[in-house]
Amino acid sequence: MLDPFAQVVALLQPAASFSKRGSGAGRWSVHRSEVGGPFYCAILEGGCRLKAEGHDEIVLMGGDFVLIPSAQNFAMSSLLPAGAKDIVSTPIVLPNGEHRLGSTDDPPDVRLLLGYCVFRSPDAALLASLLPKLVHVRGVSRLATLMQLVSDETRAQRPARDVVLERLLEVLLIEALRSGGKTDAAPGLLRGLTDERLAVAIRRMHESPNQSWTVTQLASEATLSRSVFYERFGHAMGMAPMEYLLAWRMALAKNLLRREKACIAEVASRVGYSSASTFSVAFTRHVGVPPARYARDTPFDNMSPVEPGSSAETGAIV
């Protein structure tokens, strides 16, 4: 059976924005506001604090990994209590390439790898909303290894660099999501897949989006009554079963139109519509433009990674 997480991450089309090595010493605090993109961080040694909007403060220690798929307002600070005078506006780049927070004269209290990426999919907001708002994984060393590979590849100018980065980021995100770390309790795909009954129905929708599913059929797959399935699905996923199925079909259709340049009739058949005209009506209502125009006006690479130093990077933590 297909893995819904792998499908969602692949459709998000992650691309590296930048990644950096950082360290901190003494008392320091940095803030990031209205980022909106994915933030990830691996603590190599030592410790620090993370406070993300809507979440309790987390003490991060060596071996920890944090993923925030859609970061808004958050701050990182030293384990030592930091005041207003300790806020760092611009880190200092050390001779070894590390971005130092706090004192440059003292040995570091924490070393970390951190980075940001962008989701190039036009459905990024919808797809990212299916993921946990925050994932905190402890003691999975391979995540730091993957981050190091991302960091190395970001700095290198090797052939097929962007392709390699996209694959590394897909693996990194999937590994973080499946590692069973602490996540928020917000509705979404992870919460749905942790329910064994719902997971069967969700995987069937992903496996066969071209099937003419009904709520009754999906409830049967989950071995639940129609009413129990409907209520349980909405509580776990944050949307009704048919709403999720429609959103998933449209995300697949957009990908087929942009990436594969498939004809309208073929796309309609592959996402569960009996005719091109029926699909076109549904697509236009959902997306706002007819599928033919969407395919013509939306190139595959419609979003480029943010380059370090650009205006979009202003206020980076390190």
PDB file of all heavy atoms in Angstrom, residues 61-90:
ATOM      1  N   MET A  61      18.352  19.207  23.775  1.00  0.00           N
ATOM      2  CA  MET A  61      19.660  18.718  24.184  1.00  0.00           C
ATOM      3  C   MET A  61      20.303  17.948  23.034  1.00  0.00           C
ATOM      4  O   MET A  61      19.656  17.653  22.022  1.00  0.00           O
ATOM      5  CB  MET A  61      19.521  17.826  25.425  1.00  0.00           C
ATOM      6  CG  MET A  61      18.869  18.513  26.623  1.00  0.00           C
ATOM      7  SD  MET A  61      19.721  20.011  27.168  1.00  0.00           S
ATOM      8  CE  MET A  61      21.257  19.300  27.777  1.00  0.00           C
ATOM      9  N   GLY A  62      21.588  17.630  23.187  1.00  0.00           N
ATOM     10  CA  GLY A  62      22.309  16.921  22.135  1.00  0.00           C
ATOM     11  C   GLY A  62      21.572  15.680  21.672  1.00  0.00           C
ATOM     12  O   GLY A  62      21.099  14.889  22.490  1.00  0.00           O
ATOM     13  N   GLY A  63      21.453  15.515  20.358  1.00  0.00           N
ATOM     14  CA  GLY A  63      20.724  14.387  19.787  1.00  0.00           C
ATOM     15  C   GLY A  63      19.280  14.691  19.461  1.00  0.00           C
ATOM     16  O   GLY A  63      18.593  13.867  18.850  1.00  0.00           O
ATOM     17  N   ASP A  64      18.788  15.890  19.836  1.00  0.00           N
ATOM     18  CA  ASP A  64      17.401  16.260  19.547  1.00  0.00           C
ATOM     19  C   ASP A  64      17.276  16.820  18.133  1.00  0.00           C
ATOM     20  O   ASP A  64      18.209  17.410  17.584  1.00  0.00           O
ATOM     21  CB  ASP A  64      16.908  17.329  20.531  1.00  0.00           C
ATOM     22  CG  ASP A  64      16.575  16.745  21.897  1.00  0.00           C
ATOM     23  OD1 ASP A  64      16.900  15.572  22.135  1.00  0.00           O
ATOM     24  OD2 ASP A  64      15.998  17.475  22.720  1.00  0.00           O
ATOM     25  N   PHE A  65      16.097  16.636  17.571  1.00  0.00           N
ATOM     26  CA  PHE A  65      15.770  17.181  16.252  1.00  0.00           C
ATOM     27  C   PHE A  65      14.384  17.789  16.331  1.00  0.00           C
ATOM     28  O   PHE A  65      13.471  17.202  16.917  1.00  0.00           O
ATOM     29  CB  PHE A  65      15.804  16.078  15.188  1.00  0.00           C
ATOM     30  CG  PHE A  65      15.452  16.565  13.803  1.00  0.00           C
ATOM     31  CD1 PHE A  65      16.445  17.053  12.952  1.00  0.00           C
ATOM     32  CD2 PHE A  65      14.144  16.534  13.342  1.00  0.00           C
ATOM     33  CE1 PHE A  65      16.128  17.508  11.677  1.00  0.00           C
ATOM     34  CE2 PHE A  65      13.823  16.994  12.073  1.00  0.00           C
ATOM     35  CZ  PHE A  65      14.823  17.477  11.241  1.00  0.00           C
ATOM     36  N   VAL A  66      14.227  18.968  15.735  1.00  0.00           N
ATOM     37  CA  VAL A  66      12.928  19.653  15.722  1.00  0.00           C
ATOM     38  C   VAL A  66      12.565  20.006  14.289  1.00  0.00           C
ATOM     39  O   VAL A  66      13.412  20.483  13.518  1.00  0.00           O
ATOM     40  CB  VAL A  66      12.959  20.938  16.577  1.00  0.00           C
ATOM     41  CG1 VAL A  66      11.710  21.774  16.343  1.00  0.00           C
ATOM     42  CG2 VAL A  66      13.058  20.593  18.052  1.00  0.00           C
ATOM     43  N   LEU A  67      11.314  19.767  13.931  1.00  0.00           N
ATOM     44  CA  LEU A  67      10.774  20.152  12.627  1.00  0.00           C
ATOM     45  C   LEU A  67       9.510  20.957  12.850  1.00  0.00           C
ATOM     46  O   LEU A  67       8.610  20.525  13.572  1.00  0.00           O
ATOM     47  CB  LEU A  67      10.458  18.911  11.789  1.00  0.00           C
ATOM     48  CG  LEU A  67       9.609  19.121  10.524  1.00  0.00           C
ATOM     49  CD1 LEU A  67      10.379  19.934   9.491  1.00  0.00           C
ATOM     50  CD2 LEU A  67       9.168  17.784   9.946  1.00  0.00           C
ATOM     51  N   ILE A  68       9.452  22.150  12.258  1.00  0.00           N
ATOM     52  CA  ILE A  68       8.239  22.973  12.254  1.00  0.00           C
ATOM     53  C   ILE A  68       7.873  23.195  10.787  1.00  0.00           C
ATOM     54  O   ILE A  68       8.468  24.030  10.111  1.00  0.00           O
ATOM     55  CB  ILE A  68       8.448  24.323  12.966  1.00  0.00           C
ATOM     56  CG1 ILE A  68       9.049  24.117  14.368  1.00  0.00           C
ATOM     57  CG2 ILE A  68       7.124  25.076  13.068  1.00  0.00           C
ATOM     58  CD1 ILE A  68       9.329  25.421  15.106  1.00  0.00           C
ATOM     59  N   PRO A  69       6.917  22.415  10.245  1.00  0.00           N
ATOM     60  CA  PRO A  69       6.610  22.503   8.806  1.00  0.00           C
ATOM     61  C   PRO A  69       6.159  23.872   8.337  1.00  0.00           C
ATOM     62  O   PRO A  69       6.372  24.232   7.179  1.00  0.00           O
ATOM     63  CB  PRO A  69       5.499  21.456   8.626  1.00  0.00           C
ATOM     64  CG  PRO A  69       5.724  20.477   9.729  1.00  0.00           C
ATOM     65  CD  PRO A  69       6.178  21.319  10.889  1.00  0.00           C
ATOM     66  N   SER A  70       5.518  24.647   9.214  1.00  0.00           N
ATOM     67  CA  SER A  70       5.079  25.989   8.816  1.00  0.00           C
ATOM     68  C   SER A  70       5.357  26.943   9.966  1.00  0.00           C
ATOM     69  O   SER A  70       4.456  27.323  10.723  1.00  0.00           O
ATOM     70  CB  SER A  70       3.584  25.990   8.468  1.00  0.00           C
ATOM     71  OG  SER A  70       3.181  27.257   7.993  1.00  0.00           O
ATOM     72  N   ALA A  71       6.623  27.336  10.097  1.00  0.00           N
ATOM     73  CA  ALA A  71       7.050  28.147  11.240  1.00  0.00           C
ATOM     74  C   ALA A  71       6.463  29.551  11.161  1.00  0.00           C
ATOM     75  O   ALA A  71       6.516  30.191  10.117  1.00  0.00           O
ATOM     76  CB  ALA A  71       8.568  28.210  11.285  1.00  0.00           C
ATOM     77  N   GLN A  72       5.933  30.020  12.250  1.00  0.00           N
ATOM     78  CA  GLN A  72       5.436  31.395  12.326  1.00  0.00           C
ATOM     79  C   GLN A  72       6.345  32.196  13.258  1.00  0.00           C
ATOM     80  O   GLN A  72       7.433  32.561  12.873  1.00  0.00           O
ATOM     81  CB  GLN A  72       3.975  31.399  12.800  1.00  0.00           C
ATOM     82  CG  GLN A  72       3.033  30.658  11.855  1.00  0.00           C
ATOM     83  CD  GLN A  72       2.996  31.256  10.466  1.00  0.00           C
ATOM     84  OE1 GLN A  72       3.122  32.459  10.298  1.00  0.00           O
ATOM     85  NE2 GLN A  72       2.832  30.424   9.442  1.00  0.00           N
ATOM     86  N   ASN A  73       5.933  32.403  14.486  1.00  0.00           N
ATOM     87  CA  ASN A  73       6.763  33.142  15.430  1.00  0.00           C
ATOM     88  C   ASN A  73       7.420  32.164  16.404  1.00  0.00           C
ATOM     89  O   ASN A  73       6.724  31.379  17.055  1.00  0.00           O
ATOM     90  CB  ASN A  73       5.923  34.152  16.208  1.00  0.00           C
ATOM     91  CG  ASN A  73       5.297  35.182  15.291  1.00  0.00           C
ATOM     92  OD1 ASN A  73       5.969  35.741  14.439  1.00  0.00           O
ATOM     93  ND2 ASN A  73       4.007  35.427  15.457  1.00  0.00           N
ATOM     94  N   PHE A  74       8.728  32.186  16.480  1.00  0.00           N
ATOM     95  CA  PHE A  74       9.412  31.337  17.446  1.00  0.00           C
ATOM     96  C   PHE A  74      10.744  31.974  17.821  1.00  0.00           C
ATOM     97  O   PHE A  74      11.228  32.908  17.172  1.00  0.00           O
ATOM     98  CB  PHE A  74       9.614  29.922  16.903  1.00  0.00           C
ATOM     99  CG  PHE A  74      10.562  29.803  15.754  1.00  0.00           C
ATOM    100  CD1 PHE A  74      11.868  29.381  15.955  1.00  0.00           C
ATOM    101  CD2 PHE A  74      10.151  30.085  14.462  1.00  0.00           C
ATOM    102  CE1 PHE A  74      12.750  29.256  14.890  1.00  0.00           C
ATOM    103  CE2 PHE A  74      11.019  29.950  13.395  1.00  0.00           C
ATOM    104  CZ  PHE A  74      12.327  29.545  13.609  1.00  0.00           C
ATOM    105  N   ALA A  75      11.309  31.472  18.911  1.00  0.00           N
ATOM    106  CA  ALA A  75      12.568  32.016  19.420  1.00  0.00           C
ATOM    107  C   ALA A  75      13.423  30.883  19.956  1.00  0.00           C
ATOM    108  O   ALA A  75      12.909  29.862  20.424  1.00  0.00           O
ATOM    109  CB  ALA A  75      12.301  33.037  20.528  1.00  0.00           C
ATOM    110  N   MET A  76      14.728  31.065  19.864  1.00  0.00           N
ATOM    111  CA  MET A  76      15.673  30.142  20.478  1.00  0.00           C
ATOM    112  C   MET A  76      16.544  30.953  21.428  1.00  0.00           C
ATOM    113  O   MET A  76      16.845  32.131  21.165  1.00  0.00           O
ATOM    114  CB  MET A  76      16.520  29.438  19.427  1.00  0.00           C
ATOM    115  CG  MET A  76      15.707  28.550  18.497  1.00  0.00           C
ATOM    116  SD  MET A  76      16.715  27.637  17.293  1.00  0.00           S
ATOM    117  CE  MET A  76      17.436  26.373  18.362  1.00  0.00           C
ATOM    118  N   SER A  77      16.958  30.329  22.533  1.00  0.00           N
ATOM    119  CA  SER A  77      17.752  31.043  23.520  1.00  0.00           C
ATOM    120  C   SER A  77      18.653  30.077  24.272  1.00  0.00           C
ATOM    121  O   SER A  77      18.493  28.855  24.195  1.00  0.00           O
ATOM    122  CB  SER A  77      16.842  31.784  24.504  1.00  0.00           C
ATOM    123  OG  SER A  77      16.001  30.872  25.192  1.00  0.00           O
ATOM    124  N   SER A  78      19.593  30.637  24.998  1.00  0.00           N
ATOM    125  CA  SER A  78      20.520  29.846  25.796  1.00  0.00           C
ATOM    126  C   SER A  78      19.793  29.179  26.957  1.00  0.00           C
ATOM    127  O   SER A  78      18.698  29.596  27.353  1.00  0.00           O
ATOM    128  CB  SER A  78      21.636  30.745  26.327  1.00  0.00           C
ATOM    129  OG  SER A  78      21.078  31.828  27.070  1.00  0.00           O
ATOM    130  N   LEU A  79      20.424  28.125  27.492  1.00  0.00           N
ATOM    131  CA  LEU A  79      19.861  27.498  28.689  1.00  0.00           C
ATOM    132  C   LEU A  79      19.879  28.478  29.852  1.00  0.00           C
ATOM    133  O   LEU A  79      18.973  28.489  30.681  1.00  0.00           O
ATOM    134  CB  LEU A  79      20.650  26.235  29.040  1.00  0.00           C
ATOM    135  CG  LEU A  79      20.506  25.055  28.059  1.00  0.00           C
ATOM    136  CD1 LEU A  79      21.380  23.898  28.500  1.00  0.00           C
ATOM    137  CD2 LEU A  79      19.055  24.608  27.946  1.00  0.00           C
ATOM    138  N   LEU A  80      20.918  29.324  29.913  1.00  0.00           N
ATOM    139  CA  LEU A  80      20.952  30.388  30.916  1.00  0.00           C
ATOM    140  C   LEU A  80      19.868  31.410  30.589  1.00  0.00           C
ATOM    141  O   LEU A  80      19.692  31.775  29.424  1.00  0.00           O
ATOM    142  CB  LEU A  80      22.321  31.074  30.918  1.00  0.00           C
ATOM    143  CG  LEU A  80      23.524  30.232  31.363  1.00  0.00           C
ATOM    144  CD1 LEU A  80      24.812  30.989  31.072  1.00  0.00           C
ATOM    145  CD2 LEU A  80      23.410  29.886  32.838  1.00  0.00           C
ATOM    146  N   PRO A  81      19.117  31.870  31.571  1.00  0.00           N
ATOM    147  CA  PRO A  81      18.068  32.866  31.302  1.00  0.00           C
ATOM    148  C   PRO A  81      18.638  34.096  30.596  1.00  0.00           C
ATOM    149  O   PRO A  81      19.663  34.643  31.012  1.00  0.00           O
ATOM    150  CB  PRO A  81      17.549  33.210  32.701  1.00  0.00           C
ATOM    151  CG  PRO A  81      17.893  32.023  33.536  1.00  0.00           C
ATOM    152  CD  PRO A  81      19.197  31.513  32.995  1.00  0.00           C
ATOM    153  N   ALA A  82      18.000  34.495  29.499  1.00  0.00           N
ATOM    154  CA  ALA A  82      18.474  35.637  28.713  1.00  0.00           C
ATOM    155  C   ALA A  82      17.486  36.789  28.832  1.00  0.00           C
ATOM    156  O   ALA A  82      16.267  36.585  28.868  1.00  0.00           O
ATOM    157  CB  ALA A  82      18.648  35.241  27.252  1.00  0.00           C
ATOM    158  N   GLY A  83      18.018  38.006  28.905  1.00  0.00           N
ATOM    159  CA  GLY A  83      17.191  39.197  28.990  1.00  0.00           C
ATOM    160  C   GLY A  83      17.195  39.974  27.685  1.00  0.00           C
ATOM    161  O   GLY A  83      17.793  39.543  26.677  1.00  0.00           O
ATOM    162  N   ALA A  84      16.564  41.149  27.707  1.00  0.00           N
ATOM    163  CA  ALA A  84      16.458  41.974  26.499  1.00  0.00           C
ATOM    164  C   ALA A  84      17.826  42.361  25.956  1.00  0.00           C
ATOM    165  O   ALA A  84      18.036  42.439  24.742  1.00  0.00           O
ATOM    166  CB  ALA A  84      15.635  43.221  26.793  1.00  0.00           C
ATOM    167  N   LYS A  85      18.799  42.567  26.842  1.00  0.00           N
ATOM    168  CA  LYS A  85      20.136  42.985  26.395  1.00  0.00           C
ATOM    169  C   LYS A  85      20.899  41.845  25.711  1.00  0.00           C
ATOM    170  O   LYS A  85      21.932  42.077  25.065  1.00  0.00           O
ATOM    171  CB  LYS A  85      20.942  43.495  27.585  1.00  0.00           C
ATOM    172  CG  LYS A  85      21.248  42.455  28.649  1.00  0.00           C
ATOM    173  CD  LYS A  85      22.014  43.080  29.810  1.00  0.00           C
ATOM    174  CE  LYS A  85      22.302  42.072  30.917  1.00  0.00           C
ATOM    175  NZ  LYS A  85      23.105  40.930  30.446  1.00  0.00           N
ATOM    176  N   ASP A  86      20.377  40.613  25.840  1.00  0.00           N
ATOM    177  CA  ASP A  86      21.070  39.454  25.258  1.00  0.00           C
ATOM    178  C   ASP A  86      20.522  39.071  23.891  1.00  0.00           C
ATOM    179  O   ASP A  86      20.972  38.096  23.282  1.00  0.00           O
ATOM    180  CB  ASP A  86      20.957  38.243  26.194  1.00  0.00           C
ATOM    181  CG  ASP A  86      21.538  38.520  27.568  1.00  0.00           C
ATOM    182  OD1 ASP A  86      22.679  39.009  27.615  1.00  0.00           O
ATOM    183  OD2 ASP A  86      20.857  38.248  28.572  1.00  0.00           O
ATOM    184  N   ILE A  87      19.528  39.802  23.384  1.00  0.00           N
ATOM    185  CA  ILE A  87      18.932  39.477  22.084  1.00  0.00           C
ATOM    186  C   ILE A  87      19.948  39.733  20.975  1.00  0.00           C
ATOM    187  O   ILE A  87      20.568  40.796  20.916  1.00  0.00           O
ATOM    188  CB  ILE A  87      17.657  40.302  21.843  1.00  0.00           C
ATOM    189  CG1 ILE A  87      16.577  39.903  22.851  1.00  0.00           C
ATOM    190  CG2 ILE A  87      17.155  40.110  20.417  1.00  0.00           C
ATOM    191  CD1 ILE A  87      15.314  40.723  22.753  1.00  0.00           C
ATOM    192  N   VAL A  88      20.104  38.745  20.111  1.00  0.00           N
ATOM    193  CA  VAL A  88      21.067  38.827  19.009  1.00  0.00           C
ATOM    194  C   VAL A  88      20.332  39.222  17.737  1.00  0.00           C
ATOM    195  O   VAL A  88      19.345  38.588  17.362  1.00  0.00           O
ATOM    196  CB  VAL A  88      21.783  37.472  18.802  1.00  0.00           C
ATOM    197  CG1 VAL A  88      22.733  37.549  17.619  1.00  0.00           C
ATOM    198  CG2 VAL A  88      22.518  37.072  20.066  1.00  0.00           C
ATOM    199  N   SER A  89      20.806  40.270  17.080  1.00  0.00           N
ATOM    200  CA  SER A  89      20.193  40.671  15.815  1.00  0.00           C
ATOM    201  C   SER A  89      20.918  40.034  14.630  1.00  0.00           C
ATOM    202  O   SER A  89      20.294  39.572  13.677  1.00  0.00           O
ATOM    203  CB  SER A  89      20.206  42.196  15.666  1.00  0.00           C
ATOM    204  OG  SER A  89      21.527  42.701  15.786  1.00  0.00           O
ATOM    205  N   THR A  90      22.241  39.977  14.702  1.00  0.00           N
ATOM    206  CA  THR A  90      23.034  39.373  13.626  1.00  0.00           C
ATOM    207  C   THR A  90      24.133  38.507  14.231  1.00  0.00           C
ATOM    208  O   THR A  90      24.981  39.007  14.967  1.00  0.00           O
ATOM    209  CB  THR A  90      23.695  40.444  12.745  1.00  0.00           C
ATOM    210  OG1 THR A  90      22.687  41.322  12.236  1.00  0.00           O
ATOM    211  CG2 THR A  90      24.449  39.809  11.587  1.00  0.00           C
TER     212      THR A  90
END
